[in-house]
Amino acid sequence: MSIIKLLTKKLDRTIFTTPSHNQKAIFSQEYASFYKHDYSEIDGFDNLQNPVNSILMAQGKVSDILKTKQTFFSIQGATTAMLAAMKTLINPADRVLVARNCHKSVYNGLVLTAGMVDWFMPETDEKWGIYTIIDPKKLESTLELNQYKVFIMTSPTYEGINSNIQEISDICKKHDVYLIVDEAHGALYNFSDKLPKTAIEQGADVSVNSLHKTAGALNQTAILNVSSNIKNIHITSFQNSLNLFQTTSPSYPLLANIEACFNYLNSKEGRKEIDLLLLEIEKTKSELKRFGVEFYSEDNHDPTKILLRKDGISGFDLSDSLFNDFNIEDEMNNQNSCLYLTGIGTTKQKLEKLKNALKKIKTNPSFEFQNMDFQPYPIVKLQPVNAYNREYIYVNKNDSLLKISNKIIMPYPPGIGLLYPGEAIQKWHLNYLNNDVEIIA
Ligand SMILES: Cc1ncc(COP(=O)(O)O)c(C=O)c1O
């Protein structure tokens, strides 16, 4: 039986198990519907740590839809899915190549696996202030220098830039390197031919998707996908790794929500909804172009990530004005651009509101955009595992150059590190540091 049916079936049983709340809200009445289906692994319910029944079936259905060898459910986000992927493929001291624009979960994974990282710098777009693709040629030359076990990259990026995973996966295969793609923001890709192909379809060994970012599911829902072509690894290793990090008391409503999400995405209605959304976005953009709004629209761009800038106003001021004067909040902004995230649930009315507000934004004709600069190549003095939990002291910022940072500098969103513990402080970092700087003693 599906997880959804299992939860909605009336349970005529007296249960003395966790959770004690008896599926009733004793306090917090406003969350009564959360409690209604909140069970644990009672008799007849499946177990996320060793699924044999409804969870296995639901995972199998998603795996068939996504054409994976196996897909696992995570109720702790793409974050935990990524940790599990890394723990499966990386042993202590293995060399790992990681794109620098990866989410912080990848850094956490380096601490937990004791992998030895070399950072790979993605391409940048100074005009928009964003990281863009992984250049396959640069990747190939890097892989020729050292034997890495794994390459980890993000595609699409937070702003919707897609790399050519097919070419990258061919290069990784040639060099005997596992490819893990953080596809957290690409959960809709399988469901419209107007969107890029999935990372798994393009040859990645492993990918992770968040379902709460664009696919309409609840926070914390995500999946871990393993390719049928992955070599020399037993699929149960992924389950074992997930079991290291996932709770032993998973939320059944969240699991059912993952199942329902894929039922919807894969339905005629779901696919139609995605295509309609893409159409509405296209219409919004073409109208706004006449009002001095410019959209990021390279070939490899995911249109659901509306990245824009407007003549005569900085990204920061545009963001403030939309927030303060029109009550519209963006996903992220920088000096030159603002990002509006759309997906399942983004209505035509919502897009209209954004469109009408953007038309009315006051601008200053003498304002000029300036190209943005990006962090320098990191100087790793201590590997993440060795920099973790160290004794530290404070020094004045003026004396901190080339000292080893004990702190992370990480604007959130997007959760990409500018400086990690164990890395030398460079001149570029000084603007981001307080007067007293924590350095490793
Ligand atoms: C690129 C990327 N990967 C992974 C994550 C983590 O996803 P989750 O929130 O599902 O744990 C995020 C979240 O912001 C992200 O932007």
Side-chain angles (χ1 to χ4, degrees):
M1 187 184 299
S2 79
I3 312 173
I4 303 164
K5 278 214 177 108
L6 204 60
L7 286 191
T8 45
K9 210 173 62 159
K10 184 154 174 34
L11 195 71
D12 190 15
R13 196 186 306 170
T14 305
I15 46 176
F16 284 92
T17 69
T18 64
S20 71
H21 56 53
N22 229 17
Q23 288 67 54
K24 301 264 181 327
I26 314 302
F27 41 86
S28 306
Q29 287 309 322
E30 61 274 31
Y31 299 119
S33 57
F34 282 19
Y35 281 86
K36 199 168 156 203
H37 303 300
D38 190 40
Y39 291 100
S40 66
E41 294 100 336
I42 54 174
D43 197 37
F45 280 47
D46 206 358
N47 182 339
L48 184 62
Q49 303 248 332
N50 179 26
V52 291
N53 201 330
S54 55
I55 298 175
L56 187 70
M57 263 174 50
Q59 291 187 154
K61 217 158 61 177
V62 177
S63 165
D64 288 346
I65 294 170
L66 299 180
K67 298 174 223 62
T68 63
K69 179 169 191 165
Q70 197 149 331
T71 289
F72 298 89
F73 290 179
S74 162
I75 38 77
Q76 287 163 208
T79 296
T80 290
M82 177 55 79
L83 295 181
M86 291 176 72
K87 190 68 187 162
T88 305
L89 297 181
I90 303 168
N91 291 318
D94 279 347
R95 289 192 79 151
V96 189
L97 187 66
V98 178
R100 184 66 174 186
N101 61 336
C102 277
H103 180 255
K104 66 187 259 195
S105 48
V106 176
Y107 178 82
N108 297 345
L110 291 167
V111 174
L112 291 168
T113 59
M116 299 290 124
V117 68
D118 280 338
W119 294 101
F120 184 89
M121 298 315 258
E123 301 306 291
T124 55
D125 185 322
E126 286 78 12
K127 175 177 155 187
W128 290 87
I130 56 173
Y131 284 108
T132 61
I133 59 159
I134 299 297
D135 180 344
K137 287 196 180 62
K138 283 192 196 159
L139 176 67
E140 174 124 55
S141 359
T142 310
L143 296 186
E144 268 155 17
L145 294 178
N146 290 302
Q147 180 58 54
Y148 294 100
K149 177 89 175 282
V150 180
F151 175 50
I152 308 175
M153 60 174 286
T154 302
S155 181
T157 63
Y158 210 89
E159 298 85 1
I161 317 295
N162 286 279
S163 291
N164 186 339
I165 303 290
Q166 187 67 63
E167 207 176 335
I168 290 169
S169 70
D170 288 347
I171 292 168
C172 287
K173 281 186 182 64
K174 186 168 134 196
H175 291 270
D176 216 4
V177 176
Y178 286 116
L179 173 63
I180 303 179
V181 178
D182 178 346
E183 199 184 38
H185 289 268
L188 299 182
Y189 286 5
N190 188 67
F191 303 98
S192 169
D193 48 19
K194 297 181 182 65
L195 292 171
K197 286 193 166 147
T198 67
I200 290 287
E201 273 180 297
Q202 293 185 71
D205 292 297
V206 179
S207 73
V208 302
N209 298 127
S210 285
L211 304 176
H212 57 95
K213 294 189 191 299
T214 56
L218 287 165
N219 266 326
Q220 295 188 210
T221 55
I223 51 172
L224 165 59
N225 303 304
V226 183
S227 162
S228 304
N229 299 324
I230 197 165
K231 290 214 176 102
N232 304 328
I233 199 96
H234 206 286
I235 199 80
T236 53
S237 310
F238 287 95
Q239 179 72 61
N240 294 341
S241 302
L242 278 161
N243 293 354
L244 282 180
F245 301 114
Q246 291 227 85
T247 171
T248 51
S249 310
S251 159
Y252 278 77
L254 287 185
L255 293 171
N257 191 242
I258 298 178
E259 186 180 32
C261 174
F262 279 96
N263 287 347
Y264 177 75
L265 293 179
N266 200 39
S267 67
K268 236 183 175 168
E269 188 194 352
R271 288 171 183 264
K272 202 167 134 200
E273 181 71 25
I274 297 170
D275 284 344
L276 264 177
L277 171 70
L278 296 173
L279 195 69
E280 287 305 328
I281 291 172
E282 201 39 55
K283 281 203 265 181
T284 307
K285 285 182 178 171
S286 63
E287 193 172 334
L288 279 171
K289 279 179 196 159
R290 289 188 274 120
F291 289 83
V293 182
E294 190 184 351
F295 295 92
Y296 188 89
S297 61
E298 297 294 315
D299 279 355
N300 48 5
H301 189 241
D302 173 345
T304 66
K305 297 284 160 55
I306 304 180
L307 181 64
L308 57 84
R309 46 193 243 150
K310 184 163 171 140
D311 290 343
I313 187 164
S314 76
F316 295 135
D317 288 346
L318 178 59
S319 170
D320 284 350
S321 176
L322 281 171
F323 188 74
N324 296 324
D325 305 334
F326 299 93
N327 207 16
I328 294 175
E329 184 164 353
D330 53 43
E331 169 70 18
M332 193 170 59
N333 53 76
N334 65 32
Q335 187 185 301
N336 288 356
S337 59
C338 295
L339 176 67
Y340 298 85
L341 182 144
T342 71
I344 301 296
T346 306
T347 56
K348 192 175 166 181
Q349 290 71 19
K350 206 165 144 179
L351 289 170
E352 289 269 320
K353 195 171 169 195
L354 177 64
K355 185 174 73 184
N356 292 334
L358 279 165
K359 285 182 186 171
K360 290 183 197 147
I361 293 286
K362 292 194 187 64
T363 55
N364 170 5
S366 59
F367 171 83
E368 281 183 24
F369 286 108
Q370 295 195 341
N371 279 358
M372 287 174 61
D373 66 339
F374 289 81
Q375 60 172 298
Y377 190 83
I379 304 172
V380 177
K381 295 279 194 184
L382 290 171
Q383 283 290 328
V385 65
N386 299 326
Y388 187 73
N389 246 355
R390 296 284 293 246
E391 294 286 314
Y392 59 88
I393 55 170
Y394 288 98
V395 295
N396 186 281
K397 182 158 116 172
N398 298 329
D399 301 321
S400 67
L401 264 188
L402 293 180
K403 301 275 189 319
I404 306 177
S405 177
N406 187 50
K407 278 282 218 199
I408 295 183
I409 305 178
M410 178 179 290
Y412 208 98
I416 294 171
L418 305 181
L419 180 71
Y420 285 111
E423 294 178 358
I425 295 164
Q426 303 183 54
K427 197 161 160 232
W428 186 90
H429 299 118
L430 297 182
N431 283 339
Y432 294 88
L433 295 171
N434 295 330
N435 271 343
D436 291 325
V437 181
E438 241 179 59
I439 60 161
I440 290 179

